[in-house]
Amino acid sequence: DTRDPTSLRTPIVAVLGHVDHGKTSLLDKIRGSAVIEGEAGAITQHIGATAVPLDIISTIAGDLVDPDDFDLPGLLFIDTPGHHSFTTLRSRGGALADIAILVVDVNDGFQPQTLEALDILKRSETPFIVAANKIDTVPGWKEHEDTPINDTYESQTDRVRERLDESLYEIIGNLSDEGFSADLYWRVQNFQRNVGVVPVSAMTGEGVPDLLTVMMGLSQRYMKEEMEIDVAGPGVGTVLEVKEEKGFGTTIDTVLYDGTIRADDTLVVGGQNEPIVTEVRALLQPRPLAEIRTESRFETVDEVSAASGIKVAAPDLTDAMAGAPVRVVRDRDLEEVIAEVQAE
Ligand code: GTP
Ligand code: MG
């Protein structure tokens, strides 16, 4: 292996928020913008995640992001469901993330799962920003597709601006009630101390350049050291979901945050009673959309490196637990790896 042994991995970004506030639409918008730019192939769909490389972020963000200012490779987004019954999936996504976007509908404001997501972020000490979404629904709003917030804001009438400001200050007030000092993102100096609020529309793309710029800047500034990993080293990840998959038996949807998993690796996975020691049978990624009609929704890959989402098929996974650690053994001492999984 001739690769540089240490490299900077992609930060993992969880997208959290109340049901229907626009989490999936926001990711769809980012994917859609890349398609329009003729770069559809550059964004890769992972199991439970979407990888957006730096050059695409820079294309969408326009003047706001100069790729030369960054050395992180991009962002890996994890979408989470907002429905109340998905608490565990939400909290796993939140705990796994290096950073997060809390999506709040500007009209609907704080709702039960907004508060729950905030609590998850608080407990896991995950830095986050708030996307105040659906600004296009403010009565009288004039759309300016895919523009930075400042440009579109300036061209609204006074009345529209006042209405938006009111909603934004209500969100800032709600954050303050929960113990977070927050402000509109362009007034925030220190994103570790203050939460930045970014007005966006997942529908029109307004503010999306700002959102990506802030996420990229936040990662680069505060997260860079944590992103330094030994890419070729034994993989380390977390089980997002345990799923039955036709033709593969029980599989684990895993988010890998360190090292590499190979198709011939031995794994130790956290189980209901004790750690499971197993051999990878297949590493599965979603097929590109165009090939969806083929016999399987998945294609097998030989290896995958952090950060990524991957479905692992292996024997004996029925007792695997969502939220549990996954560790590759490779040339390490098996007992030591088992002890690490037990300790987590
Ligand atoms: P769950 O996954 O169920 O928690 O919802 P979600 O947060 O992923 O919301 P989703 O993206 O599915 O959007 C919910 C609805 O709001 C859809 O009908 C979207 O079209 C709409 N929507 C999302 N973002 C915007 C926006 O910025 N403007 C407008 N007008 N509608 C939006
Ligand atoms: Mg959704």
Side-chain angles (χ1 to χ4, degrees):
D1 204 323
T2 54
R3 281 180 299 185
D4 183 354
T6 62
S7 21
L8 293 170
R9 73 157 166 84
T10 314
I12 299 167
V13 184
V15 185
L16 301 168
H18 193 73
V19 64
D20 279 353
H21 280 196
K23 300 171 292 295
T24 305
S25 301
L26 203 52
L27 292 181
D28 283 346
K29 182 70 205 177
I30 294 167
R31 280 191 288 262
S33 306
V35 172
I36 289 160
E37 300 290 345
E39 304 274 8
I43 292 189
T44 46
Q45 232 9 71
H46 291 213
I47 295 292
T50 304
V52 186
L54 176 61
D55 57 328
I56 299 300
I57 289 175
S58 150
T59 308
I60 299 172
D63 293 341
L64 300 179
V65 170
D66 178 352
D68 294 341
D69 294 341
F70 299 94
D71 40 18
L72 291 171
L75 298 168
L76 184 79
F77 292 94
I78 302 180
D79 194 3
T80 68
H83 193 270
H84 63 86
S85 65
F86 289 104
T87 302
T88 45
L89 200 53
R90 220 167 13 256
S91 70
R92 280 194 293 275
L96 242 177
D98 301 302
I99 46 177
I101 301 175
L102 179 61
V103 179
V104 183
D105 181 328
V106 279
N107 302 302
D108 213 16
F110 268 46
Q111 294 297 330
Q113 271 62 56
T114 317
L115 289 165
E116 193 209 82
L118 209 51
D119 198 48
I120 292 163
L121 296 173
K122 207 184 281 183
R123 274 186 281 123
S124 56
E125 293 177 29
T126 308
F128 66 97
I129 58 151
V130 169
N133 190 33
K134 308 199 189 184
I135 58 171
D136 63 289
T137 63
V138 172
W141 187 263
K142 273 208 308 255
E143 293 177 7
H144 298 80
E145 213 163 317
D146 301 330
T147 55
I149 192 65
N150 186 53
D151 300 358
T152 186
Y153 186 84
E154 289 303 323
S155 65
Q156 306 297 328
T157 62
D158 289 350
R159 182 72 194 109
V160 169
R161 278 201 292 246
E162 275 163 28
R163 278 175 161 153
L164 177 60
D165 289 349
E166 264 168 42
S167 308
L168 294 173
Y169 282 109
E170 190 164 327
I171 291 174
I172 290 169
N174 288 330
L175 283 162
S176 160
D177 293 344
E178 298 308 311
F180 292 97
S181 143
D183 208 340
L184 296 168
Y185 89 88
W186 53 87
R187 300 212 189 107
V188 173
Q189 299 284 329
N190 183 333
F191 282 90
Q192 272 183 319
R193 234 178 286 148
N194 300 302
V195 175
V197 176
V198 187
V200 298
S201 165
M203 196 70 98
T204 67
E206 291 162 294
V208 172
D210 307 66
L211 185 72
L212 291 174
T213 306
V214 177
M215 294 309 285
M216 213 51 223
L218 188 69
S219 316
Q220 178 78 18
R221 179 100 187 256
Y222 302 109
M223 227 104 359
K224 199 180 143 182
E225 261 131 61
E226 291 169 48
M227 298 301 109
E228 276 170 17
I229 60 161
D230 171 11
V231 238
V236 186
T238 301
V239 179
L240 212 50
E241 286 188 89
V242 182
K243 279 187 192 160
E244 211 51 48
E245 216 61 74
K246 219 175 147 196
F248 295 103
T250 309
T251 65
I252 45 174
D253 288 358
T254 303
V255 175
L256 190 69
Y257 56 81
D258 197 359
T260 296
I261 300 188
R262 297 183 189 142
D264 61 354
D265 272 326
T266 298
L267 300 180
V268 180
V269 181
Q272 267 154 37
N273 304 308
E274 56 198 354
I276 301 157
V277 180
T278 186
E279 311 273 324
V280 175
R281 188 183 286 153
L283 299 175
L284 303 165
Q285 285 288 14
R287 279 182 192 278
L289 227 52
E291 299 167 33
I292 208 101
R293 279 163 190 278
T294 52
E295 72 292 345
S296 162
R297 288 152 53 219
F298 305 108
E299 64 186 6
T300 57
V301 293
D302 291 337
E303 64 168 43
V304 57
S305 298
S308 49
I310 184 81
K311 184 184 279 293
V312 182
D316 306 321
L317 287 176
T318 39
D319 278 350
M321 274 193 317
V326 178
R327 285 179 176 269
V328 167
V329 179
R330 206 153 315 149
D331 43 19
R332 302 189 56 204
D333 176 50
L334 177 63
E335 293 309 318
E336 199 177 288
V337 180
I338 292 174
E340 281 175 7
V341 166
Q342 233 149 8
E344 263 183 71

